[in-house]
Structures are given as C-alpha cells and as structure tokens.
C-alpha cells in the first residue's frame, strides 16, 4: 500500500499552532550547553532530547559512543514496518542531526538565549538546535495527523554529539542506520533560505620539516634551515588548489624554530583540504605524498587525510529536492538549492549512495560566531515541509 501524502497546507496550519511550543523546546535545548568535547554535557542534552522523543512515542535508544556523549536513535512508525524493511513497500527515512555545539560551558553568560524582535539568539540555536526542535515538531505533526496508522514508512531520528569535531565516534552508527534508507534528511542550517544539495568533502594535512640546528652566526653553513624548507614546500602546496574543480588547499597554522640566533631544526604547518568530487580524494592525497625535500639534507614528514567525502549532487538527491520544491510551491514558497564548502554528517550518508538532502533546518546567521541567531518566522513552513516530505515518501 502506498502512503497517502498529507496535504502540506494542513501541515503548515498545524506547524503554526505548534510554533510557540517549538520555540520553547528550542530554548530548552539551547539552555543545556553541549560542547562536543564534554561528554557529560552532551549526554545531558541527549537525555533531554530522548525524553522529548519518548513523549512522541519514539522507540528510543541511547547508544554509547565514547569519547562522545553518545548517540540518540528514536524510531517512529509502525513496528511491523520498522521490522520488515525487506518488504518492498516499506520505507525507512533517517532524520539526521547533532546536539553538540562549538560553544564551551559558560558561554550562556556572555551570549544568553534571548529573543530580539523575531529572532532568537544563543549558542547553538542555528547550528543546530533549531533543527533538532524542528525534527521533533515535524514528528509531532505527523502524530497529530495520525499519519502512522496505515503508513508503510518508518522514521529514524538520529542525533549525535560529536559532529563539530569530526563525528569520529558516531560515523559508524550513522552509516549503519543510513544504509538502505529511502532518504536521509539533514536538519543542519539552511544556506540562506536554500536547501543544500551538494557539500564539499573535507580533509586536513600536516607537514613537518626536520633540518639541522646550528648557531646562526658561528656555524651558519652547517645548519639546515627547516623554516626555509617549509616555506618552499608551502609554495608548492599553494599550487595544489584547482578552483575550477572545486578543490582547495589552504594553510591554516604554522610553527617552528625557537630563537632568532639559531638555525631552526624543526618547522611545521597544518591546513585544510576541500574537494567537490569523490575522485579528487586520491588525486590530492597523491600530490601531497609526492612532495620531496628541496634541500636534500632536510627530512619531510607529510600527513594528508580526507575525513569526509563530498556530498555530490546525485540523481537521488536531486529527486528529493524536486519533491521538496513541488511541496513548497503549494505554500507559495519558491524553494531553492545551494552547494556549500562546509561539510556535515550528510557527507557520510551521501557517499554511501543514499539520497540525502541537507540544510533543511533553520534560517539564520552566525554559525560558530557570537551573533548566532535564527529567524523565528521561518520555522513553521520549514517544519511543515520536513513533515510533508516524510509523508510524501
Ligand atoms: Zn552543524
């Protein structure tokens, strides 16, 4: 049996009614500070979200994922559907997000959660506690519309607590849950007003140069200047960027030496890699690995790494976006799509070949910045659209 999709206008009316409660939920989430590297803090935020998911009838599990504070999974929809996913008609959708923020404990003192006009300010409101509140509210809308009764669709809400530091502890579970899903909807912040259909893959690199120390006055010619060698290598690295391919390599940190009158024995630099195409991972790693010392008496240690594959604009993703745009049109909303250089956990699910749509969360500005804020009036229609997309599966 095919799901009858719910009318998106009715969902919007429902979302407007729930808006005050949605904002209250967001405020509560933002008041539980949850920096990625503080497992106890993120766990507290996760427990709060778990309670909210249980209230909505979600079958909740809290997965341990050290050193992070854990991962929340909450399954919605008929048990028979969730259990028999090999059944042709049965579909599973993953709603993906994270509860951690970049803000350390105590940030609330200088950056309180506060409403100014029609905007809500506070640590993590935009990236992405509003997205979490939206996911929970969208599920509530589906509950209230009695959507699950004869649904052939199960939804898995998945919230991690280490996204901002690379998702090392949560990646395996995210990939496990995404495999075989009909769609992954990522509630990360919007790009302007747009949904995100492509994200760059990310990586980093480090180069260490080992030269030979010497007195800069007495033994100058015996020294092998690691800083000079590093500077030459960095010139080469700068040329790895191929803007047209969407491949960029940036130096971000540098260090070395100790005293002005010593020829330095050691210097290092670290930086960032972004790729638009999966195939460019091997290409850029090979370029780094081919670096050879220019001064043969210096030793190079080169460590490049790609940690998130790009989220490419695949046919599956485009199909999801087209569906979203059609539904939005019924609300007289001209939904657009965008590509971004920033990565999310959507990169992992997309790289598995699972149709992934991202940037479905809040509209606002100032992610990772002191002026972080969201537009409250954008919440209802974006929340309704998440619910409508699930119902249209
Ligand atoms: Zn985020």
């Amino acid at each position: 049996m095919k799901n009858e999709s719910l009318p998106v206008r009715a969902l919007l009316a429902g979302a407007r009614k729930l808006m005050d409660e949605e904002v209250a939920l967001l405020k509560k989430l933002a008041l539980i500070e949850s920096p990625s590297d503080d497992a106890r803090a993120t766990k507290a935020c996760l427990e709060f979200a778990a309670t909210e998911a249980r209230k909505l009838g979600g079958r909740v599990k809290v997965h341990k994922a050290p050193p992070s504070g854990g991962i929340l999974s909450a399954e919605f929809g008929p048990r028979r559907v969730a259990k028999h996913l090999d059944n042709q008609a049965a579909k599973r959708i993953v709603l993906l997000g994270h509860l951690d923020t970049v803000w350390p404990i105590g940030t609330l003192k200088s950056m309180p959660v506060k409403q100014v006009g029609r905007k809500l300010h506070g640590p993590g409101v935009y990236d992405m506690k509003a997205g979490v509140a939206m996911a929970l509210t969208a599920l509530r809308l589906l509950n209230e519309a009695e959507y699950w009764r004869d649904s052939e669709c199960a939804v898995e809400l998945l919230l991690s607590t280490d996204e901002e530091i690379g998702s090392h502890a949560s990646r395996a579970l995210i990939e496990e849950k995404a495999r075989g899903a009909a769609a992954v909807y990522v509630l990360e912040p919007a790009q302007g007003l747009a949904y995100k259909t492509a994200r760059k893959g990310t990586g980093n690199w480090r180069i260490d140069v080992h030269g030979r120390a010497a007195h800069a006055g007495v033994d100058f010619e015996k020294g092998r200047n690691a800083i000079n060698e590093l500077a030459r290598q960095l010139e080469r690295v700068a040329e790895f960027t191929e803007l047209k391919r969407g491949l960029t390599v940036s130096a971000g940190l540098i260090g070395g030496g100790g005293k002005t009158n010593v020829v330095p024995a050691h210097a290092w630099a670290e930086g960032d890699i972004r790729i638009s195409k999966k195939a460019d991972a091997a290409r850029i790693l090979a370029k780094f690995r081919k670096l050879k010392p220019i001064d043969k008496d210096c030793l190079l240690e080169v460590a490049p790494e790609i940690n998130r594959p790009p989220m490419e604009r695949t046919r599956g993703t485009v199909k999801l976006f087209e569906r979203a745009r059609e539904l939005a049109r019924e609300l007289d909303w001209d939904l657009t799509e965008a590509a971004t250089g920033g990565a999310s956990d959507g990169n992992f699910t997309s790289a598995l070949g699972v149709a992934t749509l991202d940037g479905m969360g809040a509209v606002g500005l100032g992610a990772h910045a002191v002026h972080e804020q969201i537009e409250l009036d954008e919440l209802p229609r974006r929340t309704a659209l998440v619910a409508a997309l699930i119902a249209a599966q």
Side-chain angles (χ1 to χ4, degrees):
M1 187 177 67
K2 198 174 176 306
N3 292 318
E4 285 299 315
S5 55
L6 296 171
V8 59
R9 282 180 175 278
L11 289 168
L12 176 60
R16 286 199 172 119
K17 276 197 206 121
L18 291 183
M19 188 180 169
D20 288 347
E21 288 179 64
E22 187 175 22
V23 174
L25 177 60
L26 166 56
K27 286 179 181 164
K28 284 183 195 163
L29 281 164
L31 286 171
I32 309 172
E33 293 183 296
S34 52
S36 318
D37 56 2
D38 187 331
R40 191 190 296 215
T42 54
K43 187 154 193 295
C45 197
L46 191 124
E47 294 292 352
F48 173 77
T51 304
E52 293 299 312
R54 277 191 203 102
K55 277 190 214 160
L56 297 173
R59 297 184 287 277
V60 172
K61 268 191 205 154
V62 174
H63 306 257
K64 291 203 170 103
S68 86
I71 309 163
L72 165 72
S73 72
E75 192 182 77
F76 295 82
R79 236 175 244 277
R80 70 186 155 76
V81 177
K83 288 272 180 296
H84 300 285
L85 289 166
D86 43 346
N87 159 0
Q88 283 291 311
K91 286 191 171 152
R92 194 162 45 89
I93 292 171
V94 175
L95 290 183
L96 186 57
H98 64 88
L99 289 159
D100 57 316
T101 75
V102 297
W103 300 106
I105 298 283
T107 300
L108 282 170
K109 281 191 209 108
S110 58
M111 208 178 137
V113 175
K114 78 172 179 225
Q115 193 173 330
V116 181
R118 300 304 298 156
K119 299 177 200 314
L120 187 76
H121 295 246
V125 292
Y126 181 45
D127 187 8
M128 54 157 275
K129 288 182 172 173
V132 175
M134 288 170 66
L136 289 164
T137 306
L139 289 163
R140 183 169 166 194
L141 281 173
L142 294 172
N143 281 356
E144 293 183 359
E146 297 189 354
Y147 164 71
W148 308 110
R149 207 167 42 191
D150 20 65
S151 165
E152 290 296 335
C153 181
V155 173
E156 182 110 34
L157 172 67
L158 200 57
L159 301 173
S160 68
T161 55
D162 68 341
E163 196 275 343
E164 298 290 3
I165 51 171
S167 307
H168 301 288
S170 53
R171 179 176 181 171
L173 187 73
I174 291 169
E175 290 180 336
E176 182 192 318
K177 297 285 186 188
R179 255 186 214 107
V184 175
Y185 294 132
V186 189
L187 281 290
E188 288 275 9
Q191 176 100 336
L193 292 165
Y195 276 9
K196 294 170 180 172
T197 52
R199 286 181 179 272
K200 283 190 178 180
T202 58
N204 47 60
W205 56 270
R206 178 177 169 108
I207 296 177
D208 284 272
V209 178
H210 302 280
R212 193 188 302 144
H215 192 295
V218 182
D219 280 329
F220 178 83
E221 62 286 0
K222 288 189 185 150
R224 294 292 177 268
N225 193 313
I227 290 178
N228 288 356
E229 175 67 21
L230 179 64
R232 292 190 192 122
Q233 297 294 339
L234 292 180
E235 283 289 335
R236 289 177 169 177
V237 167
E239 280 168 17
F240 291 170
T241 289
E242 295 176 71
L243 272 184
K244 281 206 186 103
R245 290 182 77 88
L247 190 166
T248 60
V249 178
S250 177
L253 290 163
I254 192 164
K259 291 195 169 74
T260 53
N261 60 356
V262 177
V263 176
H266 180 226
W268 58 270
E270 287 179 9
D272 178 278
I273 302 171
R274 304 274 156 161
I275 53 173
S276 296
K277 299 186 183 82
K278 224 189 277 184
D280 280 347
R283 181 190 177 90
I284 190 63
L285 294 179
K287 282 192 172 187
F288 269 100
R289 287 178 186 139
K290 274 191 203 135
L291 288 173
K292 293 270 174 314
I294 293 164
D295 177 341
K296 299 280 183 290
D297 291 334
C298 285
L299 189 83
L300 283 191
E301 270 181 276
V302 184
E305 156 188 71
I306 296 290
N307 33 44
R308 284 184 210 253
M311 172 180 149
E312 296 189 29
R313 190 176 178 276
T314 61
R315 199 181 300 175
T317 293
V318 171
K319 239 167 116 183
L320 295 182
F321 174 72
E322 295 294 337
R323 191 180 294 154
R325 193 164 60 175
E326 266 168 45
L327 290 164
R329 211 174 276 142
E330 289 180 46
L331 304 176
D332 304 313
W333 168 17
D334 183 17
L335 181 68
T336 55
E337 62 176 309
T340 171
S344 83
D345 287 334
N347 290 57
F348 296 137
T349 62
S350 170
L352 294 175
V354 181
T356 300
L357 197 54
D358 205 333
M360 297 171 72
V363 170
L365 49 97
H368 304 190
V370 287
H371 59 292
E372 178 166 5
Q373 59 188 270
I374 66 151
E375 300 275 350
L376 291 173
D377 292 333
E378 283 291 334
L379 283 176
R381 68 176 184 176
R382 296 183 81 88
T383 303
L385 190 53
V386 174
L389 270 165
I390 294 170
Q393 196 66 52

